[in-house]
Amino acid sequence: MLQQVENGALTVIGGYRALGRLYRGIICNGLRQYVLLGDASAMTDNVAGNEDDRWVFTEDNPNRELTTAAQMAAASRVLKGFNDTLSVQALDCARTLFDVTKESAQTKASKVHAATELYLTTGDQQYKNYLLKEKDFIAQNIGRVGWFIGRAEKKMNDAGFSKAVRNALAGFRTELDKQGAETPYGIPYRPHIWGAGWDIQSFGYRHYFLHTAYPDIFGPEYVYNALNFVLGCHPGTNTASFASGVGAVSATVGYGLNRADWSYIPGGVVSGTALIRPDFPELLVFPYLWQQVEYVLGGGSSHYMFLVLAAQQLLSDK
């Protein structure tokens, strides 16, 4: 996690410096260690300075920097009153990233996201002005930005902006319903290389915010349908739940550290059923198919947990 800003350089807990860049990640430095099978604790001998040390990888990625700015601004709100020092540090990082990261056509949606969260956190006029300036872009790209713009739109209290956003969202709802009707699963289902489970969870996660901000435009059905898809209501003869250990039948052979044991990590969420072109759905019980049974933490498990809690909340509110 980012800790503070010093002379334009982002400092992280642990003492590493990225000279204004974010870390892509910390990972083992060689293929042999990466493909290790068995207990994860065997990856290192816990002695610093030898060949099994992990490396920190940085990158020049404006989209990631602006998305991180949005996340840090949101984190600052949550931390306030719980850890005020970290809240201030997170907000400082968000402000700095917003100011120094170069904007382009490829990064504008991410900058809108950062401006939205910074405005919600600070109420500063500069972020409101940025969103008002980008009204046309927001309306034209509502499928990408609509899920996070709702709370800011209401707080801004600008009739012209609100009208543009709501008109765009109504059109987006029409397109969603068209895609959702293409299959019996009640969600847009257009998989690419690997299983679509993670994308569908992400879709359901975003739709929760659309529904809660604009319940007159978006119902809760896509949240439930996305969760149902992950839990087994999906194409193919193998209708196992993608969440290992959840459901009467679930993916209990996973591409994790214990894949050589044909075993699984309870709660791991796999990418799921792949579509072999042109129309053959496949979810094999085979631990080395990363494109079908790989576990991930970011998105795969976190979006699943969010969907479960979101469905629970929405149903309890009825």
Side-chain angles (χ1 to χ4, degrees), residues 23-40:
Y23 301 136
R24 174 67 177 186
I26 302 175
I27 195 169
C28 45
N29 63 65
L31 179 62
R32 187 68 194 91
Q33 190 178 6
Y34 180 76
V35 298
L36 172 82
L37 298 173
D39 194 326

Side-chain angles (χ1 to χ4, degrees), residues 136-160:
D136 291 342
F137 173 85
I138 290 169
Q140 293 162 9
N141 294 270
I142 201 68
R144 298 168 63 190
V145 306
W147 68 274
F148 59 72
I149 205 70
R151 286 171 296 165
E153 177 264 306
K154 297 176 187 305
K155 182 176 180 179
M156 288 163 65
N157 195 27
D158 183 279

Side-chain angles (χ1 to χ4, degrees), residues 27 41 52 60 71 97 114 133 154 217-218 230 275 317:
I27 195 169
S41 66
D52 70 12
D60 183 8
Q71 294 161 347
L97 286 169
K133 177 174 70 73
K154 297 176 187 305
I217 300 176
F218 301 95
V230 173
L275 186 64
D317 289 344

Side-chain angles (χ1 to χ4, degrees), residues 7 39-40 54 60 66 71 98 112 192 197 219 224 238 254 276 285 298:
N7 300 322
D39 194 326
R54 292 192 161 203
D60 183 8
L66 288 166
Q71 294 161 347
F98 184 86
V112 168
H192 299 290
Y224 304 143
N238 184 347
I276 310 302
V285 181

Side-chain angles (χ1 to χ4, degrees), residues 62-275:
N63 265 319
R64 187 174 297 276
E65 289 162 7
L66 288 166
T67 300
T68 299
Q71 294 161 347
M72 297 297 281
S76 177
R77 296 199 300 272
V78 178
L79 289 165
K80 192 173 183 179
F82 173 74
N83 187 329
D84 288 334
T85 299
L86 194 56
S87 174
V88 170
Q89 293 171 342
L91 183 56
D92 285 345
C93 286
R95 287 184 183 273
T96 300
L97 286 169
F98 184 86
D99 291 339
V100 305
T101 304
K102 184 178 179 180
E103 181 180 336
S104 67
Q106 289 72 37
T107 64
K108 184 167 287 190
S110 298
K111 189 146 190 175
V112 168
H113 192 184
T116 298
E117 296 298 341
L118 280 163
Y119 175 63
L120 289 171
T121 300
T122 68
D124 285 0
Q125 188 68 30
Q126 63 168 315
Y127 305 119
K128 177 179 179 178
N129 290 342
Y130 180 85
L131 294 174
L132 290 173
K133 177 174 70 73
E134 298 299 340
K135 178 182 70 175
D136 291 342
F137 173 85
I138 290 169
Q140 293 162 9
N141 294 270
I142 201 68
R144 298 168 63 190
V145 306
W147 68 274
F148 59 72
I149 205 70
R151 286 171 296 165
E153 177 264 306
K154 297 176 187 305
K155 182 176 180 179
M156 288 163 65
N157 195 27
D158 183 279
F161 186 86
S162 295
K163 181 179 179 181
V165 168
R166 290 185 65 87
N167 287 345
L169 286 170
F172 179 50
R173 173 60 195 262
T174 300
E175 179 59 28
L176 280 184
D177 288 345
K178 180 181 177 181
Q179 292 184 27
E182 291 176 353
T183 73
Y185 310 108
I187 43 89
Y189 179 61
R190 296 179 176 181
H192 299 290
I193 296 174
W194 51 71
W198 296 338
D199 289 339
I200 288 169
Q201 288 184 164
S202 177
F203 164 78
Y205 160 81
R206 296 192 305 271
H207 194 80
Y208 169 83
F209 293 99
L210 286 169
H211 166 64
T212 52
Y214 302 98
D216 57 320
I217 300 176
F218 301 95
E221 294 79 15
Y222 286 133
V223 177
Y224 304 143
N225 293 347
L227 182 58
N228 284 337
F229 188 98
V230 173
L231 292 177
C233 187
H234 53 71
T237 57
N238 184 347
T239 55
S241 160
F242 297 160
S244 293
V246 178
V249 179
S250 68
T252 52
V253 173
Y255 186 95
L257 287 168
N258 56 357
R259 57 190 177 274
D261 302 325
W262 286 65
S263 188
Y264 70 103
I265 300 170
V269 181
V270 303
S271 51
T273 306
L275 186 64

